[in-house]
Amino acid sequence: MKVFSITWYEKLRKLDYIVLFAAITLAFVSLLTLAGAAHDYGVKYFYIQLAAMVLGTVTMTIISTIDYEDVAEKFSIPLFAISVFLLVLTLAIGTGDGNKSWIRFEGIPIGIQPSEFVKVMYIVTFSRHLHMHKDTINTLKSLLKLGIHAGVIIGLVMLQGDLGSALVFVFLTIAMLFAAGLSIWYLLGGATAVALAAPFLWKMLKPYQQLRILAGFWPETDPGNKGFQALMSKNAISAGGFFGTGFSGGTEYQKVPFAHTDFIFAITGEKFGFFGAFVVIAMLVILVVRALVLAHKMQGSYASYMCVGVAAVIIAQSAENIGMCLAKLPVIGITLPFMSYGGSSMLASFCLIGVIQSINAHRGKYFFERQKS
């Protein structure tokens, strides 16, 4: 299988500009939302988000020119080691509200959430690992090895107390395993085991823990405490109507604690209405569809699993974030890709798109299709 020589210009020319447009549009809507709410939160959030967007765009461009195959084949083990180191370091010195997800440095106004970047490295390393076992993926030996790989990362994230990120890792792991050919019977067996164990696990929970779960799905059961944030968010979105209250309008979102982070969709919904919310959802759908289309084109290689992993992250985070903003899903602290305020979230989102762009840029380097190699 002979390889073409690809110049930087050719790589950039082969980028998926539909994906680029969707990502930039989401980031722009985020900036517009933060600018419109600057009288409530201050202009610093706008400028930090703008800087993260610029840095993210540059990082995405650089990643797109790097051959994903070289990285996966030569650096999978180092990337896994770096991921473990970052998560262990976060456990040791991390801070957070009820968890230890952030690393902050004295005198610096912004922090780093390592798990956001570990998602990118995990997709690369787990894709490579899946490819190594694709012919024997349904054997217990292969599943044990893959389970250890996934278990180490997911376990460390759970130890941080970051349930939201842990669930994203679980979802993308299942999606990538399924894409690699894992038998549906394994997935059905796991789902059945969880369903059967649920009643027993529920009885083991303390009353306040049960209330937290109930309030997650039915916030009306505890409107003054656990369900307050979600209910206020739903009210803000409802107040926006079809076209919203305008760039400087809206007051309901001001009642949502820390709305500019995990609940930024509520601000967007009130200021720009159903139309603005539709634009955000449409752009996210475009990213997912383009990633899955590319996964189909690269079928038979671990690039396909990478694309599925990226799509899975966007699906999981978008569905959960929008669901909790609409008071339909539990509030577990998950960001909306390209939208939520935070340098780590914005930069990691662009890194994910960089992986997709790298695959696009390098998929024509072979004389023959991978399936025939």
Side-chain angles (χ1 to χ4, degrees):
M1 184 166 57
K2 196 171 181 180
V3 183
F4 283 111
S5 175
I6 304 177
T7 65
W8 273 48
Y9 172 76
E10 290 171 327
K11 292 176 183 179
L12 294 177
R13 190 172 57 86
K14 292 170 67 175
L15 296 181
D16 188 332
Y17 286 96
I18 296 177
V19 166
L20 182 61
F21 170 78
I24 294 296
T25 299
L26 286 168
F28 179 75
V29 173
S30 174
L31 290 173
L32 201 61
T33 300
L34 290 172
H39 58 283
D40 298 299
Y41 301 109
V43 295
K44 71 172 185 177
Y45 293 126
F46 171 82
Y47 288 115
I48 291 175
Q49 193 79 332
L50 176 62
M53 175 185 173
V54 173
L55 180 59
T57 304
V58 172
T59 303
M60 179 202 67
T61 305
I62 294 173
I63 293 175
S64 68
T65 63
I66 300 172
D67 192 337
Y68 69 93
E69 206 165 41
D70 287 342
V71 173
E73 291 182 356
K74 298 177 182 178
F75 300 104
S76 283
I77 294 178
L79 286 175
F80 179 76
I82 292 172
S83 298
V84 172
F85 171 76
L86 287 174
L87 294 177
V88 171
L89 180 65
T90 307
L91 274 175
I93 65 172
T95 61
D97 184 15
N99 55 47
K100 300 181 70 174
S101 303
W102 292 83
I103 294 178
R104 302 186 185 277
F105 303 96
E106 188 176 350
I108 300 178
I110 58 176
I112 300 172
Q113 188 174 11
S115 61
E116 291 287 342
F117 302 103
V118 171
K119 289 174 191 173
V120 183
M121 293 185 282
Y122 178 74
I123 288 173
V124 175
T125 59
F126 198 63
S127 295
R128 174 62 177 163
H129 201 171
L130 280 172
H131 188 70
M132 293 169 61
H133 294 280
K134 67 174 183 177
D135 295 326
T136 58
I137 192 170
N138 288 301
T139 64
L140 290 177
K141 183 178 179 180
S142 292
L143 285 176
L144 179 61
K145 292 179 180 179
L146 292 167
I148 292 173
H149 184 156
V152 169
I153 299 298
I154 296 172
L156 287 171
V157 174
M158 291 187 70
L159 287 174
Q160 295 176 6
D162 189 353
L163 178 60
S165 293
L167 289 176
V168 172
F169 275 102
V170 170
F171 182 79
L172 77 91
T173 299
I174 293 173
M176 292 171 71
L177 284 167
F178 182 73
L182 181 68
S183 172
I184 189 67
W185 294 108
Y186 281 109
L187 300 178
L188 290 176
T192 301
V194 171
L196 292 174
F200 301 99
L201 295 173
W202 177 260
K203 293 179 180 179
M204 295 172 62
L205 296 175
K206 296 179 179 180
Y208 80 90
Q209 293 175 320
Q210 294 177 343
L211 178 61
R212 179 174 294 180
I213 294 174
L214 290 173
F217 290 100
W218 300 282
E220 293 81 4
T221 60
D222 190 16
N225 189 14
K226 302 298 181 185
F228 178 79
Q229 197 173 22
L231 289 174
M232 293 300 100
S233 171
K234 185 172 72 171
N235 290 341
I237 294 172
S238 299
F242 192 86
F243 287 112
T245 56
F247 177 76
S248 300
T251 57
E252 292 299 315
Y253 73 86
Q254 298 171 2
K255 303 175 185 177
V256 184
F258 305 105
H260 61 296
T261 55
D262 297 345
F263 282 83
I264 195 170
F265 188 76
I267 307 179
T268 303
E270 184 172 5
K271 287 185 173 295
F272 307 113
F274 173 82
F275 178 77
F278 175 79
V279 170
V280 170
I281 294 173
M283 294 302 105
L284 290 168
V285 169
I286 287 173
L287 292 178
V288 170
V289 170
R290 296 298 290 184
L292 293 179
V293 167
L294 183 58
H296 179 71
K297 291 178 180 179
M298 300 301 292
Q299 191 173 0
S301 71
Y302 48 81
S304 178
Y305 312 147
M306 290 184 189
C307 294
V308 170
V310 172
V313 170
I314 297 173
I315 291 172
Q317 294 194 194
S318 301
E320 168 56 31
N321 183 280
I322 294 174
M324 69 187 194
C325 286
L326 293 172
K328 297 300 182 184
L329 292 174
V331 178
I332 56 175
I334 202 75
T335 57
L336 186 60
F338 296 100
M339 286 290 296
S340 294
Y341 166 77
S344 294
S345 177
M346 179 71 79
L347 184 54
S349 296
F350 272 108
C351 287
L352 287 172
I353 298 305
V355 173
I356 295 294
Q357 298 288 28
S358 174
I359 295 170
N360 251 312
H362 294 88
R363 68 187 178 93
K365 67 177 183 174
Y366 296 102
F367 279 103
F368 304 101
E369 294 181 358
R370 295 173 184 274
Q371 293 91 322
K372 299 178 182 179
S373 62

